[in-house]
Structure formats: C-alpha cells, structure tokens
Amino acid sequence: YTVTELAQGSPWGEIQGLSYRADGRIHHNPDRPLIEDLDGLPMVTEIYHRDLTMEHYVIPYLRYPYVSFYTGRGCPGHCVYCLWPQTFTGRRFRMRSVGNVVAEVRRSLELFPQAAEIFFDDDTFTADGERARQLSREFRPLKFVWSATARANTSYETLKAMKEGGLRLLVVGFETGDPRVLKNIRKGVTLDLGRRLAKWCRELGIQIHGTFMVGLPGETKESIEASIRFACELDPDTIQVSLATPYPGTEFYDFCRDQGFLQDDALVNGATGYQQCVVDYPGLAAADIFQAVPQFYRRFYFRPRYMARAALVMMRDPVERRRLLKEGRQFLSFMFKRRQGQQTQVAEANRCP
C-alpha cells in the first residue's frame, strides 16, 4: 500500500501512487494498481473507536449519532461530473465480501452501542443488486437501522430486500429534471426511472434524500425550473442542491475548459469558505446558477404539502422530530451565512481602490 510504504520510510520517488512537491515542482509517480482484495484492509471502525468521538459528527439526513463506512470502492457509472470514480476509485465496483461487511457491522454495534444508524457510504451501494440483496438478508437478524446510496434504476426486488433488512433511507442522485441535461452528463437513467423509484420507495416505506445539481452541461434557466418542478413532483423526504463543480481530473472539467466556460479556478470562496460557481454558460451566468440553489431550496421546502407532511412526521416520531428540527436549524443557518457571504463578496468587489 502507498501509505504503508510512506510510513516505512521508503524513498518517495520509488513509491507507486504518490505525488509530492520537491525542488519547487510537483512530482507524480506511476499509478499504483487498484486494490482488489478489499477484505485485506483493516476495519475503519476500530480507528473510529480509538481516535474519534462520534457525537462530534452530524449529517442532517442521518439519525444522530451515526457510523459510516464503505462496503466497496468505485462505481460503474459514467457520470461526467463525479469526482471519485474518475480520480481515485475507478469506474469499476470492487467489493468487500458479504462476510467481511457483516463482521464490521457486528463490530460497529459492539463498539458504538449508542449509534442510531449505520450509513454505507459507497459511491453506489446498489451497483450490484444481488450483493445488496445478500447483504440485506444477512443484516436482518442483526436488527439495526441503516441507510445507503442508490441509483434510480434500482430494482423493486432489491429495494424490498433492503427494507426487510432494516433499511431506513436511500441517498439517490436524481441530479436534474431535464432529460437533455441528464443525457449530457451520461447519468444512465431517465426521469421515468426516478419517478418509478420514488413510487416504489413510498410503497415500501423507504425514505429518500434526493440530490440535485445546478450548472451541469447544457443547463439553462428553463432546465433549472424543470429540475425544481421534478423535485417537487418526486417529493422526497429531504433534498440536497449543489453547484455543479468541474473538478480537475473529470470530464466535466475538460469540457468547461475546452469550451471556455470555466470562469475561475477557485472552487471555494476564500473569504467565506463556501463553494462558489465557476462555470459561466451562454445565456446563464455564474451568478444566476449560484442564486438557483437557495431558490431551489425555498421552492421545495416551503410548499404546504411538504410542511404538512413534516409536521405529521414530527408528531408521530420523536426521533424524526429531533432530526428534522436540527436539519431545519442548520438549513436556515446555511441560507443566512451563504447570503451574508455573497453580500460581503459583492461589497469587496465594489469597493473603490
């Protein structure tokens, strides 16, 4: 392993997979072959228990406190924007064995009895449907709550098995409500598949955290409006709206650079720490894309239908009540700080020299 050789003091120039700075320039060593035997890696939950306080970490759509780890690496999808498969884990799903994953779940339940949930943070947990069903069958007797990632093309058979195995929530990347943009990003799904998944999850009692992006290739004001309408139609339990960011090493970055759409290389605003929009399309300015994020959130969350459903859930389930109230506070804080940061940025730009 690269890190092992580094820790053992091997000469940096001889370590495969290592990039480093020396003599004022960056050196990239030859790539190291991807790890095939993931069962050979140590269990991360042992490190969590040794070094971390789990109560210090919060993800609003997960129950608190939670434990998170991977059951595999890589993703067979070909989404042009996705960072990790293109730069790190590869576009092939390499999996830990079912027995190895179950062993870590058992160990997690022993080490963290206070955990309200385990989150399997694979790029796509359901990439191999048969394996997802196998894991779910093994999870059933352990009787714990868990959540995972999925794509819109997940089968009903897999969803049902996962629900029976204790699944509470799926994180699903719907991304856009415009079929043309969906094709541009090579997502490999359709809007109707998204509708079908949402319907099946409602029938099975699986919650959905739907993720969307604004500023993808081919984005227009009309496609953003279509995405907002699509999110409201799907009506997931919660949503996440991100700025489409062309990270170096992705096809999206190459596209923006080659077409002259890359406005700025600074992906994060240095003054505020918040992500900023760096793509500028003909007919859709970066400022318009940036403003679409809070607009998207307001249109989704301030609907009477959503607010009534959230109120009903909070009345029925004290665990969900605490989670939703915390998520609401964080959402309002995020919106306020984001707006304040933008106002500061504008003021700085307009200040006389």
Side-chain angles (χ1 to χ4, degrees), residues 115-159:
E117 182 164 42
I118 293 178
F119 180 52
F120 300 114
D121 198 16
D122 302 9
D123 289 328
T124 309
F125 180 83
T126 58
D128 185 319
E130 174 55 35
R131 174 179 178 270
R133 294 190 293 272
Q134 281 184 291
L135 282 169
S136 300
R137 287 191 289 269
E138 294 294 326
F139 290 165
R140 286 186 70 175
L142 301 181
K143 299 186 183 302
F144 70 102
V145 177
W146 55 281
S147 294
T149 56
R151 286 171 62 88
N153 58 0
T154 303
S155 71
Y156 183 86
E157 179 187 10
T158 299
L159 293 173

mmCIF file of all heavy atoms in Angstrom, residues 115-159:
data_model
loop_
_atom_site.group_PDB
_atom_site.id
_atom_site.type_symbol
_atom_site.label_atom_id
_atom_site.label_comp_id
_atom_site.label_asym_id
_atom_site.label_seq_id
_atom_site.Cartn_x
_atom_site.Cartn_y
_atom_site.Cartn_z
ATOM 1 N N ALA A 115 -24.942 4.248 18.681
ATOM 2 C CA ALA A 115 -25.195 4.649 17.296
ATOM 3 C C ALA A 115 -26.661 4.428 16.935
ATOM 4 O O ALA A 115 -27.212 3.346 17.147
ATOM 5 C CB ALA A 115 -24.292 3.869 16.343
ATOM 6 N N ALA A 116 -27.279 5.445 16.384
ATOM 7 C CA ALA A 116 -28.675 5.339 15.966
ATOM 8 C C ALA A 116 -28.807 4.775 14.556
ATOM 9 O O ALA A 116 -29.905 4.373 14.155
ATOM 10 C CB ALA A 116 -29.345 6.715 16.032
ATOM 11 N N GLU A 117 -27.683 4.736 13.825
ATOM 12 C CA GLU A 117 -27.763 4.330 12.428
ATOM 13 C C GLU A 117 -26.369 4.030 11.898
ATOM 14 O O GLU A 117 -25.374 4.600 12.362
ATOM 15 C CB GLU A 117 -28.384 5.474 11.604
ATOM 16 C CG GLU A 117 -28.587 5.193 10.141
ATOM 17 C CD GLU A 117 -29.546 6.184 9.500
ATOM 18 O OE1 GLU A 117 -29.461 7.394 9.801
ATOM 19 O OE2 GLU A 117 -30.392 5.749 8.709
ATOM 20 N N ILE A 118 -26.290 3.117 10.922
ATOM 21 C CA ILE A 118 -25.068 2.891 10.156
ATOM 22 C C ILE A 118 -25.329 3.331 8.726
ATOM 23 O O ILE A 118 -26.362 2.994 8.145
ATOM 24 C CB ILE A 118 -24.635 1.408 10.191
ATOM 25 C CG1 ILE A 118 -24.205 1.019 11.611
ATOM 26 C CG2 ILE A 118 -23.494 1.150 9.211
ATOM 27 C CD1 ILE A 118 -23.806 -0.440 11.758
ATOM 28 N N PHE A 119 -24.403 4.098 8.167
ATOM 29 C CA PHE A 119 -24.537 4.581 6.792
ATOM 30 C C PHE A 119 -23.458 3.945 5.932
ATOM 31 O O PHE A 119 -22.270 4.062 6.222
ATOM 32 C CB PHE A 119 -24.407 6.104 6.751
ATOM 33 C CG PHE A 119 -24.525 6.693 5.366
ATOM 34 C CD1 PHE A 119 -25.594 6.380 4.550
ATOM 35 C CD2 PHE A 119 -23.569 7.577 4.891
ATOM 36 C CE1 PHE A 119 -25.711 6.921 3.281
ATOM 37 C CE2 PHE A 119 -23.673 8.127 3.623
ATOM 38 C CZ PHE A 119 -24.746 7.800 2.814
ATOM 39 N N PHE A 120 -23.880 3.263 4.863
ATOM 40 C CA PHE A 120 -22.952 2.668 3.915
ATOM 41 C C PHE A 120 -22.721 3.675 2.788
ATOM 42 O O PHE A 120 -23.577 3.870 1.928
ATOM 43 C CB PHE A 120 -23.499 1.339 3.398
ATOM 44 C CG PHE A 120 -23.732 0.339 4.501
ATOM 45 C CD1 PHE A 120 -25.009 -0.087 4.827
ATOM 46 C CD2 PHE A 120 -22.663 -0.153 5.244
ATOM 47 C CE1 PHE A 120 -25.215 -0.992 5.849
ATOM 48 C CE2 PHE A 120 -22.861 -1.056 6.275
ATOM 49 C CZ PHE A 120 -24.153 -1.479 6.582
ATOM 50 N N ASP A 121 -21.541 4.304 2.815
ATOM 51 C CA ASP A 121 -21.268 5.491 2.009
ATOM 52 C C ASP A 121 -20.579 5.162 0.680
ATOM 53 O O ASP A 121 -19.815 5.966 0.154
ATOM 54 C CB ASP A 121 -20.400 6.462 2.829
ATOM 55 C CG ASP A 121 -20.426 7.868 2.268
ATOM 56 O OD1 ASP A 121 -21.314 8.182 1.461
ATOM 57 O OD2 ASP A 121 -19.540 8.661 2.641
ATOM 58 N N ASP A 122 -20.851 3.983 0.124
ATOM 59 C CA ASP A 122 -20.298 3.633 -1.184
ATOM 60 C C ASP A 122 -20.761 4.640 -2.236
ATOM 61 O O ASP A 122 -21.796 5.288 -2.089
ATOM 62 C CB ASP A 122 -20.785 2.248 -1.616
ATOM 63 C CG ASP A 122 -20.429 1.149 -0.625
ATOM 64 O OD1 ASP A 122 -19.956 1.477 0.476
ATOM 65 O OD2 ASP A 122 -20.643 -0.019 -0.956
ATOM 66 N N ASP A 123 -19.992 4.750 -3.335
ATOM 67 C CA ASP A 123 -20.452 5.598 -4.433
ATOM 68 C C ASP A 123 -21.850 5.163 -4.870
ATOM 69 O O ASP A 123 -22.720 6.001 -5.110
ATOM 70 C CB ASP A 123 -19.483 5.503 -5.620
ATOM 71 C CG ASP A 123 -18.157 6.183 -5.332
ATOM 72 O OD1 ASP A 123 -18.157 7.180 -4.589
ATOM 73 O OD2 ASP A 123 -17.125 5.717 -5.844
ATOM 74 N N THR A 124 -22.061 3.859 -4.995
ATOM 75 C CA THR A 124 -23.391 3.314 -5.306
ATOM 76 C C THR A 124 -23.509 1.947 -4.645
ATOM 77 O O THR A 124 -23.053 0.937 -5.183
ATOM 78 C CB THR A 124 -23.615 3.172 -6.825
ATOM 79 O OG1 THR A 124 -23.296 4.407 -7.478
ATOM 80 C CG2 THR A 124 -25.068 2.818 -7.122
ATOM 81 N N PHE A 125 -24.145 1.894 -3.497
ATOM 82 C CA PHE A 125 -24.291 0.651 -2.738
ATOM 83 C C PHE A 125 -25.026 -0.403 -3.552
ATOM 84 O O PHE A 125 -24.747 -1.609 -3.444
ATOM 85 C CB PHE A 125 -25.046 0.942 -1.436
ATOM 86 C CG PHE A 125 -25.264 -0.252 -0.546
ATOM 87 C CD1 PHE A 125 -24.269 -0.680 0.326
ATOM 88 C CD2 PHE A 125 -26.473 -0.933 -0.573
ATOM 89 C CE1 PHE A 125 -24.475 -1.780 1.147
ATOM 90 C CE2 PHE A 125 -26.686 -2.034 0.252
ATOM 91 C CZ PHE A 125 -25.691 -2.457 1.106
ATOM 92 N N THR A 126 -25.967 0.023 -4.392
ATOM 93 C CA THR A 126 -26.805 -0.912 -5.143
ATOM 94 C C THR A 126 -26.244 -1.231 -6.528
ATOM 95 O O THR A 126 -26.963 -1.772 -7.375
ATOM 96 C CB THR A 126 -28.226 -0.343 -5.305
ATOM 97 O OG1 THR A 126 -28.149 0.941 -5.970
ATOM 98 C CG2 THR A 126 -28.903 -0.158 -3.965
ATOM 99 N N ALA A 127 -24.975 -0.904 -6.781
ATOM 100 C CA ALA A 127 -24.398 -1.156 -8.104
ATOM 101 C C ALA A 127 -24.474 -2.635 -8.480
ATOM 102 O O ALA A 127 -24.621 -2.980 -9.660
ATOM 103 C CB ALA A 127 -22.947 -0.670 -8.159
ATOM 104 N N ASP A 128 -24.351 -3.511 -7.510
ATOM 105 C CA ASP A 128 -24.532 -4.946 -7.714
ATOM 106 C C ASP A 128 -25.767 -5.351 -6.916
ATOM 107 O O ASP A 128 -25.716 -5.521 -5.697
ATOM 108 C CB ASP A 128 -23.292 -5.713 -7.234
ATOM 109 C CG ASP A 128 -23.367 -7.204 -7.526
ATOM 110 O OD1 ASP A 128 -24.446 -7.795 -7.344
ATOM 111 O OD2 ASP A 128 -22.347 -7.782 -7.940
ATOM 112 N N GLY A 129 -26.891 -5.506 -7.621
ATOM 113 C CA GLY A 129 -28.157 -5.763 -6.944
ATOM 114 C C GLY A 129 -28.167 -7.046 -6.148
ATOM 115 O O GLY A 129 -28.690 -7.090 -5.023
ATOM 116 N N GLU A 130 -27.589 -8.117 -6.686
ATOM 117 C CA GLU A 130 -27.589 -9.403 -5.986
ATOM 118 C C GLU A 130 -26.801 -9.296 -4.684
ATOM 119 O O GLU A 130 -27.221 -9.826 -3.641
ATOM 120 C CB GLU A 130 -26.995 -10.490 -6.886
ATOM 121 C CG GLU A 130 -26.818 -11.838 -6.203
ATOM 122 C CD GLU A 130 -28.101 -12.375 -5.576
ATOM 123 O OE1 GLU A 130 -29.197 -12.148 -6.152
ATOM 124 O OE2 GLU A 130 -28.011 -13.010 -4.500
ATOM 125 N N ARG A 131 -25.674 -8.611 -4.717
ATOM 126 C CA ARG A 131 -24.880 -8.448 -3.495
ATOM 127 C C ARG A 131 -25.639 -7.610 -2.471
ATOM 128 O O ARG A 131 -25.619 -7.914 -1.263
ATOM 129 C CB ARG A 131 -23.543 -7.790 -3.815
ATOM 130 C CG ARG A 131 -22.698 -7.448 -2.581
ATOM 131 C CD ARG A 131 -21.388 -6.837 -3.011
ATOM 132 N NE ARG A 131 -20.560 -6.439 -1.893
ATOM 133 C CZ ARG A 131 -20.593 -5.228 -1.316
ATOM 134 N NH1 ARG A 131 -21.431 -4.312 -1.760
ATOM 135 N NH2 ARG A 131 -19.770 -4.941 -0.318
ATOM 136 N N ALA A 132 -26.313 -6.542 -2.922
ATOM 137 C CA ALA A 132 -27.098 -5.717 -1.998
ATOM 138 C C ALA A 132 -28.182 -6.551 -1.335
ATOM 139 O O ALA A 132 -28.462 -6.389 -0.132
ATOM 140 C CB ALA A 132 -27.721 -4.537 -2.753
ATOM 141 N N ARG A 133 -28.773 -7.464 -2.085
ATOM 142 C CA ARG A 133 -29.805 -8.334 -1.504
ATOM 143 C C ARG A 133 -29.193 -9.331 -0.526
ATOM 144 O O ARG A 133 -29.772 -9.611 0.540
ATOM 145 C CB ARG A 133 -30.568 -9.058 -2.616
ATOM 146 C CG ARG A 133 -31.390 -8.115 -3.502
ATOM 147 C CD ARG A 133 -32.314 -8.865 -4.443
ATOM 148 N NE ARG A 133 -31.613 -9.623 -5.467
ATOM 149 C CZ ARG A 133 -31.252 -9.146 -6.644
ATOM 150 N NH1 ARG A 133 -31.493 -7.870 -6.951
ATOM 151 N NH2 ARG A 133 -30.633 -9.905 -7.540
ATOM 152 N N GLN A 134 -28.019 -9.859 -0.866
ATOM 153 C CA GLN A 134 -27.333 -10.774 0.047
ATOM 154 C C GLN A 134 -27.011 -10.095 1.374
ATOM 155 O O GLN A 134 -27.240 -10.653 2.454
ATOM 156 C CB GLN A 134 -26.044 -11.284 -0.591
ATOM 157 C CG GLN A 134 -26.217 -12.380 -1.606
ATOM 158 C CD GLN A 134 -24.858 -12.876 -2.093
ATOM 159 O OE1 GLN A 134 -24.134 -12.166 -2.793
ATOM 160 N NE2 GLN A 134 -24.496 -14.075 -1.703
ATOM 161 N N LEU A 135 -26.445 -8.893 1.275
ATOM 162 C CA LEU A 135 -26.118 -8.152 2.493
ATOM 163 C C LEU A 135 -27.377 -7.905 3.327
ATOM 164 O O LEU A 135 -27.368 -8.068 4.555
ATOM 165 C CB LEU A 135 -25.463 -6.819 2.129
ATOM 166 C CG LEU A 135 -23.995 -6.874 1.723
ATOM 167 C CD1 LEU A 135 -23.551 -5.543 1.130
ATOM 168 C CD2 LEU A 135 -23.109 -7.229 2.925
ATOM 169 N N SER A 136 -28.449 -7.534 2.661
ATOM 170 C CA SER A 136 -29.692 -7.232 3.371
ATOM 171 C C SER A 136 -30.224 -8.449 4.106
ATOM 172 O O SER A 136 -30.733 -8.340 5.236
ATOM 173 C CB SER A 136 -30.738 -6.721 2.375
ATOM 174 O OG SER A 136 -30.298 -5.539 1.732
ATOM 175 N N ARG A 137 -30.114 -9.613 3.487
ATOM 176 C CA ARG A 137 -30.566 -10.838 4.160
ATOM 177 C C ARG A 137 -29.723 -11.125 5.407
ATOM 178 O O ARG A 137 -30.236 -11.579 6.436
ATOM 179 C CB ARG A 137 -30.518 -12.015 3.189
ATOM 180 C CG ARG A 137 -31.619 -11.986 2.123
ATOM 181 C CD ARG A 137 -31.682 -13.293 1.359
ATOM 182 N NE ARG A 137 -30.544 -13.478 0.470
ATOM 183 C CZ ARG A 137 -30.517 -13.083 -0.806
ATOM 184 N NH1 ARG A 137 -31.574 -12.470 -1.338
ATOM 185 N NH2 ARG A 137 -29.462 -13.305 -1.550
ATOM 186 N N GLU A 138 -28.418 -10.851 5.311
ATOM 187 C CA GLU A 138 -27.531 -11.063 6.459
ATOM 188 C C GLU A 138 -27.767 -10.026 7.558
ATOM 189 O O GLU A 138 -27.516 -10.285 8.739
ATOM 190 C CB GLU A 138 -26.071 -11.018 6.003
ATOM 191 C CG GLU A 138 -25.668 -12.147 5.067
ATOM 192 C CD GLU A 138 -25.709 -13.504 5.734
ATOM 193 O OE1 GLU A 138 -25.413 -13.582 6.955
ATOM 194 O OE2 GLU A 138 -26.047 -14.486 5.060
ATOM 195 N N PHE A 139 -28.245 -8.842 7.159
ATOM 196 C CA PHE A 139 -28.483 -7.778 8.143
ATOM 197 C C PHE A 139 -29.733 -8.044 8.984
ATOM 198 O O PHE A 139 -29.841 -7.549 10.112
ATOM 199 C CB PHE A 139 -28.650 -6.433 7.425
ATOM 200 C CG PHE A 139 -27.394 -5.883 6.809
ATOM 201 C CD1 PHE A 139 -27.462 -4.849 5.868
ATOM 202 C CD2 PHE A 139 -26.152 -6.381 7.146
ATOM 203 C CE1 PHE A 139 -26.312 -4.334 5.294
ATOM 204 C CE2 PHE A 139 -24.988 -5.875 6.572
ATOM 205 C CZ PHE A 139 -25.078 -4.848 5.633
ATOM 206 N N ARG A 140 -30.689 -8.760 8.426
ATOM 207 C CA ARG A 140 -31.995 -8.902 9.091
ATOM 208 C C ARG A 140 -31.894 -9.363 10.543
ATOM 209 O O ARG A 140 -32.489 -8.738 11.439
ATOM 210 C CB ARG A 140 -32.890 -9.853 8.302
ATOM 211 C CG ARG A 140 -33.435 -9.256 7.032
ATOM 212 C CD ARG A 140 -34.431 -10.186 6.343
ATOM 213 N NE ARG A 140 -35.672 -10.298 7.095
ATOM 214 C CZ ARG A 140 -36.748 -10.960 6.677
ATOM 215 N NH1 ARG A 140 -36.712 -11.595 5.503
ATOM 216 N NH2 ARG A 140 -37.831 -11.012 7.388
ATOM 217 N N PRO A 141 -31.161 -10.435 10.847
ATOM 218 C CA PRO A 141 -31.118 -10.874 12.250
ATOM 219 C C PRO A 141 -30.363 -9.932 13.180
ATOM 220 O O PRO A 141 -30.504 -10.026 14.404
ATOM 221 C CB PRO A 141 -30.414 -12.242 12.160
ATOM 222 C CG PRO A 141 -29.640 -12.204 10.890
ATOM 223 C CD PRO A 141 -30.444 -11.370 9.954
ATOM 224 N N LEU A 142 -29.591 -9.001 12.620
ATOM 225 C CA LEU A 142 -28.838 -8.060 13.459
ATOM 226 C C LEU A 142 -29.720 -6.927 13.971
ATOM 227 O O LEU A 142 -29.355 -6.233 14.926
ATOM 228 C CB LEU A 142 -27.647 -7.497 12.672
ATOM 229 C CG LEU A 142 -26.646 -8.536 12.158
ATOM 230 C CD1 LEU A 142 -25.495 -7.848 11.419
ATOM 231 C CD2 LEU A 142 -26.111 -9.381 13.302
ATOM 232 N N LYS A 143 -30.838 -6.713 13.287
ATOM 233 C CA LYS A 143 -31.858 -5.749 13.743
ATOM 234 C C LYS A 143 -31.276 -4.369 14.054
ATOM 235 O O LYS A 143 -31.369 -3.869 15.171
ATOM 236 C CB LYS A 143 -32.607 -6.300 14.960
ATOM 237 C CG LYS A 143 -33.342 -7.608 14.682
ATOM 238 C CD LYS A 143 -34.176 -8.043 15.867
ATOM 239 C CE LYS A 143 -34.838 -9.386 15.613
ATOM 240 N NZ LYS A 143 -35.697 -9.407 14.434
ATOM 241 N N PHE A 144 -30.660 -3.754 13.054
ATOM 242 C CA PHE A 144 -30.152 -2.398 13.223
ATOM 243 C C PHE A 144 -30.690 -1.526 12.079
ATOM 244 O O PHE A 144 -31.117 -2.029 11.038
ATOM 245 C CB PHE A 144 -28.625 -2.374 13.243
ATOM 246 C CG PHE A 144 -27.980 -2.690 11.904
ATOM 247 C CD1 PHE A 144 -27.467 -1.672 11.105
ATOM 248 C CD2 PHE A 144 -27.894 -4.002 11.449
ATOM 249 C CE1 PHE A 144 -26.884 -1.955 9.884
ATOM 250 C CE2 PHE A 144 -27.300 -4.298 10.238
ATOM 251 C CZ PHE A 144 -26.797 -3.279 9.447
ATOM 252 N N VAL A 145 -30.671 -0.225 12.301
ATOM 253 C CA VAL A 145 -31.149 0.739 11.300
ATOM 254 C C VAL A 145 -29.974 1.169 10.429
ATOM 255 O O VAL A 145 -28.885 1.458 10.949
ATOM 256 C CB VAL A 145 -31.779 1.970 11.991
ATOM 257 C CG1 VAL A 145 -32.201 3.013 10.960
ATOM 258 C CG2 VAL A 145 -32.973 1.547 12.833
ATOM 259 N N TRP A 146 -30.192 1.219 9.119
ATOM 260 C CA TRP A 146 -29.108 1.623 8.233
ATOM 261 C C TRP A 146 -29.654 2.386 7.030
ATOM 262 O O TRP A 146 -30.833 2.331 6.702
ATOM 263 C CB TRP A 146 -28.285 0.426 7.785
ATOM 264 C CG TRP A 146 -29.023 -0.706 7.125
ATOM 265 C CD1 TRP A 146 -29.753 -1.678 7.747
ATOM 266 C CD2 TRP A 146 -29.086 -0.996 5.713
ATOM 267 N NE1 TRP A 146 -30.264 -2.563 6.818
ATOM 268 C CE2 TRP A 146 -29.862 -2.169 5.565
ATOM 269 C CE3 TRP A 146 -28.559 -0.389 4.576
ATOM 270 C CZ2 TRP A 146 -30.141 -2.738 4.312
ATOM 271 C CZ3 TRP A 146 -28.820 -0.964 3.329
ATOM 272 C CH2 TRP A 146 -29.607 -2.107 3.209
ATOM 273 N N SER A 147 -28.751 3.122 6.392
ATOM 274 C CA SER A 147 -29.056 3.860 5.175
ATOM 275 C C SER A 147 -27.925 3.640 4.182
ATOM 276 O O SER A 147 -26.839 3.191 4.560
ATOM 277 C CB SER A 147 -29.222 5.360 5.469
ATOM 278 O OG SER A 147 -30.364 5.594 6.273
ATOM 279 N N ALA A 148 -28.178 3.959 2.919
ATOM 280 C CA ALA A 148 -27.181 3.687 1.891
ATOM 281 C C ALA A 148 -27.437 4.565 0.674
ATOM 282 O O ALA A 148 -28.391 5.337 0.628
ATOM 283 C CB ALA A 148 -27.209 2.199 1.501
ATOM 284 N N THR A 149 -26.576 4.419 -0.319
ATOM 285 C CA THR A 149 -26.706 5.146 -1.584
ATOM 286 C C THR A 149 -27.310 4.234 -2.643
ATOM 287 O O THR A 149 -27.160 3.003 -2.595
ATOM 288 C CB THR A 149 -25.326 5.624 -2.061
ATOM 289 O OG1 THR A 149 -24.447 4.480 -2.148
ATOM 290 C CG2 THR A 149 -24.724 6.630 -1.084
ATOM 291 N N ALA A 150 -28.001 4.838 -3.615
ATOM 292 C CA ALA A 150 -28.625 4.047 -4.673
ATOM 293 C C ALA A 150 -28.794 4.897 -5.918
ATOM 294 O O ALA A 150 -28.734 6.133 -5.872
ATOM 295 C CB ALA A 150 -29.987 3.515 -4.222
ATOM 296 N N ARG A 151 -28.998 4.219 -7.048
ATOM 297 C CA ARG A 151 -29.327 4.885 -8.302
ATOM 298 C C ARG A 151 -30.803 4.682 -8.609
ATOM 299 O O ARG A 151 -31.460 3.777 -8.072
ATOM 300 C CB ARG A 151 -28.475 4.326 -9.448
ATOM 301 C CG ARG A 151 -27.027 4.797 -9.410
ATOM 302 C CD ARG A 151 -26.175 4.067 -10.415
ATOM 303 N NE ARG A 151 -26.596 4.292 -11.795
ATOM 304 C CZ ARG A 151 -26.181 5.297 -12.561
ATOM 305 N NH1 ARG A 151 -25.333 6.196 -12.058
ATOM 306 N NH2 ARG A 151 -26.585 5.434 -13.794
ATOM 307 N N ALA A 152 -31.313 5.496 -9.518
ATOM 308 C CA ALA A 152 -32.739 5.458 -9.848
ATOM 309 C C ALA A 152 -33.148 4.167 -10.536
ATOM 310 O O ALA A 152 -34.340 3.857 -10.604
ATOM 311 C CB ALA A 152 -33.098 6.658 -10.723
ATOM 312 N N ASN A 153 -32.185 3.396 -11.043
ATOM 313 C CA ASN A 153 -32.527 2.158 -11.741
ATOM 314 C C ASN A 153 -32.520 0.934 -10.825
ATOM 315 O O ASN A 153 -32.540 -0.205 -11.299
ATOM 316 C CB ASN A 153 -31.581 1.928 -12.923
ATOM 317 C CG ASN A 153 -30.116 1.862 -12.500
ATOM 318 O OD1 ASN A 153 -29.793 1.991 -11.328
ATOM 319 N ND2 ASN A 153 -29.228 1.677 -13.464
ATOM 320 N N THR A 154 -32.508 1.142 -9.516
ATOM 321 C CA THR A 154 -32.532 0.031 -8.568
ATOM 322 C C THR A 154 -33.851 -0.731 -8.686
ATOM 323 O O THR A 154 -34.922 -0.125 -8.782
ATOM 324 C CB THR A 154 -32.353 0.540 -7.132
ATOM 325 O OG1 THR A 154 -31.127 1.285 -7.048
ATOM 326 C CG2 THR A 154 -32.302 -0.605 -6.131
ATOM 327 N N SER A 155 -33.784 -2.056 -8.678
ATOM 328 C CA SER A 155 -34.978 -2.872 -8.884
ATOM 329 C C SER A 155 -35.851 -2.918 -7.633
ATOM 330 O O SER A 155 -35.382 -2.715 -6.504
ATOM 331 C CB SER A 155 -34.574 -4.304 -9.266
ATOM 332 O OG SER A 155 -34.003 -4.984 -8.154
ATOM 333 N N TYR A 156 -37.127 -3.229 -7.848
ATOM 334 C CA TYR A 156 -38.064 -3.376 -6.735
ATOM 335 C C TYR A 156 -37.629 -4.518 -5.822
ATOM 336 O O TYR A 156 -37.717 -4.411 -4.591
ATOM 337 C CB TYR A 156 -39.472 -3.635 -7.266
ATOM 338 C CG TYR A 156 -40.525 -3.719 -6.178
ATOM 339 C CD1 TYR A 156 -41.137 -2.566 -5.693
ATOM 340 C CD2 TYR A 156 -40.880 -4.947 -5.615
ATOM 341 C CE1 TYR A 156 -42.092 -2.638 -4.690
ATOM 342 C CE2 TYR A 156 -41.828 -5.024 -4.609
ATOM 343 C CZ TYR A 156 -42.436 -3.866 -4.154
ATOM 344 O OH TYR A 156 -43.380 -3.931 -3.148
ATOM 345 N N GLU A 157 -37.151 -5.611 -6.413
ATOM 346 C CA GLU A 157 -36.692 -6.761 -5.645
ATOM 347 C C GLU A 157 -35.590 -6.359 -4.671
ATOM 348 O O GLU A 157 -35.586 -6.773 -3.502
ATOM 349 C CB GLU A 157 -36.179 -7.847 -6.605
ATOM 350 C CG GLU A 157 -35.658 -9.094 -5.924
ATOM 351 C CD GLU A 157 -35.015 -10.063 -6.888
ATOM 352 O OE1 GLU A 157 -34.799 -9.694 -8.061
ATOM 353 O OE2 GLU A 157 -34.705 -11.196 -6.457
ATOM 354 N N THR A 158 -34.659 -5.537 -5.155
ATOM 355 C CA THR A 158 -33.555 -5.092 -4.290
ATOM 356 C C THR A 158 -34.058 -4.153 -3.202
ATOM 357 O O THR A 158 -33.678 -4.275 -2.031
ATOM 358 C CB THR A 158 -32.467 -4.405 -5.134
ATOM 359 O OG1 THR A 158 -31.946 -5.340 -6.076
ATOM 360 C CG2 THR A 158 -31.330 -3.902 -4.254
ATOM 361 N N LEU A 159 -34.929 -3.223 -3.556
ATOM 362 C CA LEU A 159 -35.482 -2.293 -2.570
ATOM 363 C C LEU A 159 -36.228 -3.047 -1.470
ATOM 364 O O LEU A 159 -36.076 -2.735 -0.275
ATOM 365 C CB LEU A 159 -36.415 -1.300 -3.255
ATOM 366 C CG LEU A 159 -35.784 -0.300 -4.226
ATOM 367 C CD1 LEU A 159 -36.880 0.481 -4.947
ATOM 368 C CD2 LEU A 159 -34.845 0.659 -3.504
#
